[in-house]
Amino acid sequence: MSRLLVVEDDPDIALALRLLFSRAGYEVAHAADGRSGLKEAYAEHPDLVVLDVGLPEMDGWQVLERLRDVSDVPVLVLTAHGQEAEKVRGLRGGADDYLTKPFANNELLARVEALLRRSSSGQNSWASQIYDDGLVHLDPTKRRVYVKGEEKRLTPTEFRLLNALVRHAGAVLSPNQLLTQAWDDPTGIGQERVKFAVLRLRRKLGWSDPDESPIESVRGFGYRYRRPGGEA
């Protein structure tokens, strides 16, 4: 049974969501504010988080940012805001999906099912050989990454994304290819996720300056990892 965490401050909406998910066969936990939502997520390790944006104590954007620093748990953002800027903000922050209130129950359940399906099948079987080019040292067995000898903490998706790029060093990988290899999502839906995940990966590895980063954006095509010295 999959465990869902609902972080929602409106008691009526929270009750409706708990009933909906329980009747669909999920185990459901609830938190009424951002801080308690984070504590619940850290303690219980849910399979998916349904996160409202307008929360007391700590808003949904802050909760999402904290979650993404330590976890790759799928997050579906709920908000009353329908503006494109809010959707982009959610995707940039690492949300996996986005739904605007009011929403249809069947659509919400379908999106939750799809996210759980991708998450459970997303354990790509990478070769166990260690990758080391003098700059990046990547150990798939131990799931550890070092840049210039300094260990970097990555979420599972960020690890798979970096693994895909370095294993194809010099080659340009399209967003669809990266969705398949890092998210196990061959549909090509949600290509914006790739852009924002690359931005977060660069930041975590200390490569925020795109001109200095070995992860290059190739306009109109995708992304490429350049080994030190510019070798393919």
Side-chain angles (χ1 to χ4, degrees):
M1 180 185 294
S2 296
R3 293 175 296 170
L4 308 186
L5 171 60
V6 174
V7 188
E8 168 64 65
D9 64 314
D10 186 306
D12 293 331
I13 295 176
L15 176 60
L17 290 174
R18 292 179 69 178
L19 289 173
L20 175 68
F21 291 137
S22 296
R23 289 169 180 168
Y26 297 113
E27 180 182 332
V28 188
H30 170 246
D33 61 73
R35 292 192 188 279
S36 59
L38 268 182
K39 291 178 182 178
E40 185 77 18
Y42 292 159
E44 299 300 326
H45 304 289
D47 297 301
L48 183 141
V49 177
V50 178
L51 177 64
D52 182 40
V53 170
L55 296 170
E57 300 287 333
M58 177 187 293
D59 68 26
W61 304 124
Q62 293 172 297
V63 173
L64 179 60
E65 183 179 4
R66 298 280 184 88
L67 278 175
R68 280 296 169 257
D69 282 340
V70 297
S71 173
D72 208 31
V73 62
V75 177
L76 190 154
V77 170
L78 296 179
T79 178
H81 306 290
Q83 295 90 346
E84 185 68 18
E86 293 294 312
K87 180 177 181 180
V88 170
R89 184 178 180 183
L91 292 171
R92 180 175 286 129
D96 297 276
D97 205 350
Y98 182 102
L99 201 55
T100 303
K101 301 174 184 176
F103 47 80
N105 288 345
N106 287 341
E107 181 181 6
L108 175 59
L109 287 174
R111 288 174 183 256
V112 166
E113 290 167 7
L115 289 176
L116 289 170
R117 208 163 43 238
R118 291 175 194 169
S119 177
S120 63
S121 65
Q123 304 301 318
N124 291 320
S125 56
W126 290 97
S128 60
Q129 292 89 353
I130 291 173
Y131 176 89
D132 195 328
D133 61 16
L135 174 64
V136 172
H137 177 99
L138 185 148
D139 188 333
T141 302
K142 296 180 179 178
R143 294 281 169 172
R144 288 187 169 179
V145 174
Y146 299 83
V147 175
K148 294 183 178 179
E150 180 183 351
E151 186 169 5
K152 303 293 184 178
R153 293 180 59 186
L154 302 180
T155 67
T157 292
E158 290 163 351
F159 186 93
R160 292 193 297 268
L161 179 59
L162 179 62
N163 205 357
L165 289 165
V166 300
R167 300 290 175 181
H168 299 86
V172 178
L173 298 181
S174 70
N176 280 1
Q177 289 173 310
L178 290 171
L179 279 169
T180 299
Q181 296 192 42
W183 282 266
D184 192 38
D185 180 9
T187 64
I189 298 172
Q191 292 187 23
E192 287 291 292
R193 269 187 297 170
V194 176
K195 180 174 76 172
F196 298 132
V198 168
L199 290 173
R200 289 195 303 275
L201 179 61
R202 285 173 173 163
R203 175 174 54 82
K204 285 191 176 183
L205 297 179
W207 301 336
S208 296
D209 184 349
D211 294 328
E212 300 293 330
S213 173
I215 299 178
E216 303 175 339
S217 300
V218 182
R219 186 180 295 274
F221 293 96
Y223 300 90
R224 170 175 56 207
Y225 175 76
R226 279 285 186 185
R227 291 190 180 121
E231 299 175 2

